[in-house]
């Protein structure tokens, strides 16, 4: 991987200066997140004996999960599907053929520090390396933890590259999570992109409306809709219980402001690998004004093989959804293959 490509997935530095009480709330909630396995188990009335494979050791990609998300987990249930997504297990230390540290070919697609160009007409900019949650199946979990460098210096080189490539119509902001940027930095980044005449859309890939819904403030909605560029927000929810009342309110706020909303999920064993759960997820997304978009097969990242669902099972699940649901509620089953010119449909 090129030395310029670094993604910081650990705890961000937060500043409270010049922020309103509303805009500060998500930052306070983030600082109160669980980072200790024993504290999380205690909050859920669980013990190590309940989860024999638990990995309590400190590691670079350690536990990080906000308390609001934990509140949606079932107490006393070691198999809770939300808990499975964030709890470190010893299974992550096993090695498996075909599972590596750069499973989707990010390194070979880098065109400037943090700027990836894989598909025609669009490029992806890693706006920040910071996340609000450490999902155990994250395909960037092994990316180096050093910061990408000064925001202004790095963005300058990436934006110069974007401005020079008139084939680009859409920029995808990713990370980390781009909504981990404070309002001022996010507004500045969008302003810079707005100045590039050949761009038509900005797409934001984020888990924060699900994990930390207090991030979706009126001020944020104003920033997103101030640009003449069309703004699409693609959230990441894997299970219907992730979409509680606070998340629904946040998503409806984004929808009311004119932001297009889509969801992409990852098919995960013992989390959402049954038709009833996937149906419930699609129905709940639609309640929240979100269109089901992609159901991804697991990216083969080292440490996540225990989440794998076979292609045969995945096809059967989608076939059942097609029979039982209207087409607009059925996500497209896809896989990302390094070097391919688009996501690859399965079946």
């Amino acid at each position: 991987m090129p030395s310029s490509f670094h993604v910081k997935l650990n705890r961000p530095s937060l500043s409270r200066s010049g922020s309103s009480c509303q805009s500060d709330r998500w930052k306070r909630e983030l600082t109160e997140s669980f980072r200790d396995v024993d504290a999380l188990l205690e909050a859920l009335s669980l013990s190590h004996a309940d989860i024999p494979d638990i990995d309590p050791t400190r590691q670079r990609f350690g536990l990080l999960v906000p308390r609001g998300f934990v509140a949606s987990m079932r107490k006393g249930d070691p198999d809770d599907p939300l808990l499975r997504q964030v709890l470190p297990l010893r299974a992550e230390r096993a090695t498996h053929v075909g599972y590596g540290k750069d499973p989707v070919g990010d390194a070979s697609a880098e065109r400037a520090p943090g700027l990836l160009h894989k598909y025609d007409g669009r490029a992806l900019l890693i706006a920040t390396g910071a996340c609000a949650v450490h999902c155990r199946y994250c395909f960037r979990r092994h990316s180096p933890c050093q910061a990408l460098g000064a925001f202004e210096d790095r963005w300058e080189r990436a934006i110069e590259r974007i401005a020079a490539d008139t084939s680009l119509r859409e920029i995808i902001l990713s990370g980390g999570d781009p909504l981990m940027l404070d309002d001022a930095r996010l507004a500045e980044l969008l302003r810079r992109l707005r100045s590039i005449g050949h761009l038509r859309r900005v797409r934001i890939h984020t888990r924060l409306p699900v994990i930390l819904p207090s991030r979706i403030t009126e001020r944020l909605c104003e920033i997103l809709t101030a640009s003449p560029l069309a703004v699409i927000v693609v959230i990441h929810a894997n299970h219907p219980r992730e979409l509680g009342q606070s998340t629904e309110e946040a998503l409806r706020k984004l929808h009311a402001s004119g932001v297009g909303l889509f969801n992409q999920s990852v098919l995960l064993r013992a989390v959402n690998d049954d038709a009833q759960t996937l149906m419930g997820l699609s129905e709940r997304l639609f309640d929240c004004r979100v269109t089901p978009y992609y159901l991804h097969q697991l990216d083969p990242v080292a440490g996540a093989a225990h989440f794998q669902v076979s292609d045969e099972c995945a096809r059967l699940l989608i076939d059942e959804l097609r029979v039982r649901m209207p087409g607009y509620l059925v996500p497209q089953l896809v896989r990302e293959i390094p070097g391919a010119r688009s996501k690859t449909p399965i079946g």
Side-chain angles (χ1 to χ4, degrees):
M1 182 174 289
S3 61
S4 60
F5 186 79
H6 299 294
V7 177
K8 184 178 181 181
L9 289 168
N10 57 334
R11 182 177 179 175
S13 175
L14 302 175
S15 172
R16 297 178 182 272
S17 60
S19 298
S20 68
C21 180
Q22 183 191 33
S23 62
D24 263 356
R25 179 182 167 190
W26 70 277
K27 296 180 182 181
R28 293 194 299 270
E29 291 179 358
L30 183 62
T31 63
E32 296 165 357
S33 297
F34 285 100
R35 293 178 172 82
D36 178 76
V37 168
D38 289 336
L40 175 61
L41 293 180
E42 182 179 0
L44 293 171
S45 302
L46 292 168
S47 69
H48 286 246
D50 295 316
I51 310 173
D53 194 41
I54 196 168
D55 188 351
T57 61
R58 289 191 175 273
Q59 49 185 292
R60 182 191 67 81
F61 191 65
L63 176 76
L64 174 63
V65 55
R67 292 175 180 266
F69 191 70
V70 174
S72 297
M73 300 175 186
R74 289 189 294 254
K75 285 192 173 183
D77 183 1
D79 298 318
D80 181 83
L82 277 62
L83 176 62
R84 280 186 59 82
Q85 295 179 57
V86 300
L87 189 66
L89 299 178
R90 290 189 177 92
E92 297 177 29
R93 299 181 181 272
T95 58
H96 296 267
V97 175
Y99 286 75
K101 294 186 176 181
D102 183 19
V104 297
D106 277 354
S108 61
E110 189 179 24
R111 301 295 178 263
L115 180 67
L116 311 180
H117 193 177
K118 296 182 180 182
Y119 306 140
D120 291 350
R122 56 224 188 261
L124 183 147
L125 176 62
I126 296 179
T128 175
C131 282
V133 63
H134 285 174
C135 301
R136 309 315 302 176
Y137 52 87
C138 178
F139 68 92
R140 291 198 178 113
R141 58 176 290 168
H142 297 290
S143 298
C145 283
Q146 294 87 349
L148 278 161
F151 285 102
E152 294 77 9
D153 293 344
R154 179 169 57 82
W155 287 353
E156 190 66 38
R157 284 176 283 172
I159 289 171
E160 285 177 0
R161 181 74 183 231
I162 293 167
D165 188 346
T166 58
S167 73
L168 293 175
R169 299 180 300 278
E170 179 175 66
I171 295 300
I172 302 164
L173 301 184
S174 184
D177 195 306
L179 293 190
M180 290 289 284
L181 296 175
D182 62 28
D183 287 348
R185 282 197 171 110
L186 181 61
E188 174 61 15
L189 177 56
L190 292 175
R191 185 192 69 78
R192 297 294 304 278
L193 294 174
R194 186 171 65 235
S195 69
I196 300 174
H198 54 265
L199 293 181
R200 301 179 63 180
R201 293 178 299 277
V202 173
R203 192 194 323 171
I204 297 174
H205 285 192
T206 177
R207 194 129 157 82
L208 259 67
V210 174
I211 296 294
L212 210 61
S214 57
R215 176 65 183 103
I216 311 304
T217 62
E218 297 294 342
R219 174 58 182 152
L220 176 63
C221 291
E222 292 172 359
I223 290 170
L224 295 180
T225 56
S227 169
L229 297 173
V231 176
I232 300 104
V233 169
V234 180
I235 68 166
H236 175 188
N238 297 316
H239 192 279
R241 276 203 287 114
E242 297 178 32
L243 302 168
Q245 185 62 37
S246 295
T247 291
E248 179 176 357
E249 291 172 0
L251 292 169
R252 284 176 174 262
K253 189 182 297 182
L254 285 168
H255 179 265
S257 70
V259 172
L261 293 173
F262 297 85
N263 179 67
Q264 56 183 356
S265 304
V266 180
L267 186 59
L268 301 167
R269 185 165 68 88
V271 172
N272 58 6
D273 58 337
D274 65 276
Q276 200 62 41
T277 297
L278 292 174
M279 288 173 59
L281 175 60
S282 285
E283 294 281 9
R284 184 69 184 126
L285 285 166
F286 199 71
D287 290 343
C288 298
R289 303 297 189 264
V290 180
T291 300
Y293 175 34
Y294 278 151
L295 177 62
H296 283 267
Q297 266 291 41
L298 182 75
D299 294 319
V301 61
H306 55 292
F307 286 111
Q308 183 65 57
V309 177
S310 70
D311 282 0
E312 180 182 7
C313 178
R315 291 189 193 99
L316 290 173
L317 287 171
I318 288 295
D319 286 345
E320 186 169 354
L321 262 60
R322 289 195 184 105
V323 170
R324 300 176 63 182
M325 304 187 77
Y328 57 83
L329 290 183
V330 180
Q332 186 177 9
L333 179 65
V334 297
R335 168 180 284 115
E336 183 165 357
I337 299 175
R341 295 184 65 183
S342 69
K343 297 291 193 300
T344 302
I346 300 174

